[in-house]
């Protein structure tokens, strides 16, 4: 988990509320990624960014938004449009050879 | 399109016995291949990677993996399993020259090492 921090570790959301998950890296990596993990489904890509001020949708982007204003930071907002947001969220960054380093994760629960 | 298959959801092995976790892949051209391990409520930890060169790759915690191009496989192995190896294991792939595009992950294999 070294080099990438995610906060908070646990997050609770009420119905209709937007919440933002933080991801910061000090590895000087250009690329950053957000994944969602549900039991038995592996990792599903939400958004990724290959460079500052640019990002692309992944496989399950609906109901999520991101920004990449700084190289070190890639926050993920879970909007009220995401109907089933309860999951474990993982942030990662990668070097030029593509090895991805992961943060410790944020567990989001809808109340 | 790139894809990874981990055909076993669960692998059980006795402590001290050798273990194998299987992975096959599909990619255009040559692959970059990776193995990660995840402990409960934690992020993924990198174990090893194949970029080029020797087909047998050695990684962390005594794990190794063998790249087999003809069988498009990259199975993870360890000669003697420990109870502490019990975790969720993910195989991942990216095509060479694909830059910093995301890795494609398998669905994971849960390894249980029994004392």
């Amino acid at each position: 988990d070294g080099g990438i921090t995610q906060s908070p570790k646990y997050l609770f959301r009420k119905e209709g509320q937007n919440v933002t998950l933080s991801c910061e890296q000090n590895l000087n990596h250009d690329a950053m990624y957000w994944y969602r993990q549900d039991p038995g489904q592996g990792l599903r890509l939400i958004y990724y960014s290959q460079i500052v001020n640019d990002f692309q949708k992944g496989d399950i982007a609906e109901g999520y938004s991101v920004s990449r204003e700084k190289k070190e930071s890639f926050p993920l907002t879970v909007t009220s449009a995401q109907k089933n947001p309860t999951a474990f969220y993982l942030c990662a960054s990668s070097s030029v050879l593509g090895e991805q380093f992961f943060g410790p994760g944020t567990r989001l629960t809808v109340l | 399109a790139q894809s990874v298959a981990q055909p076993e959801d669960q692998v059980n092995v006795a402590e001290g016995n050798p273990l194998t976790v299987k992975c096959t892949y599909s990619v255009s051209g040559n692959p970059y291949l990776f193995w990660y391990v995840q402990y409960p409520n934690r992020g993924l930890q990198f174990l090893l990677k194949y970029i080029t060169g020797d087909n047998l790759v050695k990684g962390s915690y005594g794990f190794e993996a063998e790249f087999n191009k003809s069988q498009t496989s990259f199975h993870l192995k360890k000669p003697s399993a420990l109870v502490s190896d019990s975790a969720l294991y993910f195989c991942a792939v990216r095509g060479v020259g694909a830059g910093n595009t995301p890795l494609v992950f398998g669905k994971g294999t849960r390894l249980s090492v029994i004392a």
Side-chain angles (χ1 to χ4, degrees):
Chain A
D1 299 345
I4 300 180
T5 58
Q6 290 186 242
S7 62
K9 185 170 183 177
Y10 298 97
L11 185 58
F12 299 91
R13 193 194 91 167
K14 296 179 180 179
E15 294 287 344
Q17 188 180 43
N18 292 356
V19 292
T20 297
L21 284 61
S22 170
C23 177
E24 304 277 333
Q25 55 103 355
N26 62 4
L27 300 169
N28 200 32
H29 288 164
D30 284 320
M32 297 186 74
Y33 314 85
W34 274 105
Y35 292 90
R36 170 177 171 147
Q37 186 176 24
D38 297 280
Q41 295 199 41
L43 300 176
R44 293 187 288 170
L45 182 67
I46 304 173
Y47 269 97
Y48 67 102
S49 168
Q50 294 178 298
I51 198 168
V52 174
N53 292 322
D54 188 39
F55 49 83
Q56 289 79 40
K57 292 182 178 180
D59 301 319
I60 55 165
E62 185 175 352
Y64 300 97
S65 66
V66 293
S67 63
R68 186 84 188 279
E69 297 177 0
K70 299 188 299 181
K71 188 175 187 178
E72 301 80 15
S73 178
F74 191 41
L76 173 74
T77 297
V78 184
T79 75
S80 57
Q82 172 49 240
K83 298 306 178 187
N84 185 23
T86 294
F88 190 51
Y89 290 86
L90 289 162
C91 178
S93 67
S94 69
S95 64
V96 293
L97 285 180
E99 175 182 332
Q100 289 182 189
F101 293 84
F102 283 81
T106 293
R107 186 165 297 280
L108 173 63
T109 303
V110 174
L111 300 175
Chain B
Q2 300 165 116
S3 65
V4 172
Q6 293 181 243
E8 301 155 317
D9 291 335
Q10 174 95 28
V11 170
N12 298 319
V13 63
E15 188 176 29
N17 282 3
L19 71 86
T20 299
V21 183
K22 296 179 180 178
C23 171
T24 58
Y25 67 90
S26 174
V27 68
S28 298
N30 293 319
Y32 290 157
L33 292 157
F34 305 82
W35 274 102
Y36 288 84
V37 61
Q38 185 182 34
Y39 297 98
N41 295 311
R42 302 290 298 275
L44 275 65
Q45 295 178 28
F46 169 75
L47 280 178
L48 51 80
K49 66 182 177 184
Y50 171 81
I51 301 296
T52 188
D54 194 347
N55 288 345
L56 184 64
V57 179
K58 295 189 182 295
S60 306
Y61 313 119
F63 284 95
E64 59 188 28
E66 186 166 11
F67 171 62
N68 187 317
K69 188 172 184 178
S70 63
Q71 296 185 6
T72 61
S73 67
F74 190 56
H75 300 331
L76 181 70
K77 300 182 180 184
K78 187 174 182 181
S80 178
L82 300 173
V83 172
S84 57
D85 293 330
S86 299
L88 187 58
Y89 290 81
F90 290 97
C91 181
V93 70
R94 177 191 289 121
V96 172
N100 268 334
T101 55
L103 297 180
V104 174
F105 286 84
K107 290 194 172 185
T109 297
R110 187 164 300 281
L111 173 67
S112 179
V113 181
I114 305 162

